[in-house]
Amino acid sequence: TPARPRPEPERCYELGRGFTYRREAFGGILYHYEGLRPDPRVTFVDNAFLIDLLDALAAHPHVPLGELLAGVQAHFGLGPEARARMESFFATLIARGALVPR
């Protein structure tokens, strides 16, 4: 089994071509949409905070991911477990092609 791609903290990331997301009561949905055919690349995000991270990523496109996560972690006083969950979230998006380096 190939290793799951890990976020590179020194790189800036953005949503891949055709990907977008929307907020929902449970958190949000990240999906791929190009053309008229449905696309199976749908990610259910079970936490509104993770959707907020996507907003932060879009609002600060030239901030490296590691710096962005460190700022979020410091601002909210989050511990190592929360940081690991944020990194895992971004690793999942990278593996699915939903997040790409700028």
Side-chain angles (χ1 to χ4, degrees), residues 2-3 8 16 20 22 30-32 34 43 46 56 58 67-68 74 77 85 87 90 94-95 99 102:
E8 297 176 51
T20 191
R22 71 174 188 241
L30 182 116
Y31 56 96
H32 183 263
E34 282 184 296
T43 302
D46 65 354
E67 188 178 322
L68 181 75
R85 182 154 188 225
E87 289 174 353
F90 283 114
I94 291 167
L99 204 62
R102 287 187 63 82

Side-chain angles (χ1 to χ4, degrees), residues 2-86:
R4 187 163 100 174
R6 295 184 49 110
E8 297 176 51
E10 70 283 354
R11 298 203 67 173
C12 299
Y13 287 87
E14 64 186 354
L15 288 177
R17 182 172 179 231
F19 281 92
T20 191
Y21 63 95
R22 71 174 188 241
R23 290 185 180 279
E24 295 290 342
F26 58 84
I29 298 174
L30 182 116
Y31 56 96
H32 183 263
Y33 188 83
E34 282 184 296
L36 301 173
R37 293 181 302 146
D39 191 310
R41 290 177 283 179
V42 174
T43 302
F44 292 93
V45 181
D46 65 354
N47 185 312
F49 183 76
L50 297 176
I51 293 295
D52 291 341
L53 286 178
L54 291 176
D55 287 342
L57 191 72
H60 305 285
H62 301 293
V63 175
L65 184 61
E67 188 178 322
L68 181 75
L69 294 181
V72 168
Q73 186 177 9
H75 180 78
F76 292 103
L78 302 174
E81 286 182 14
R83 174 67 182 253
R85 182 154 188 225
M86 291 187 292

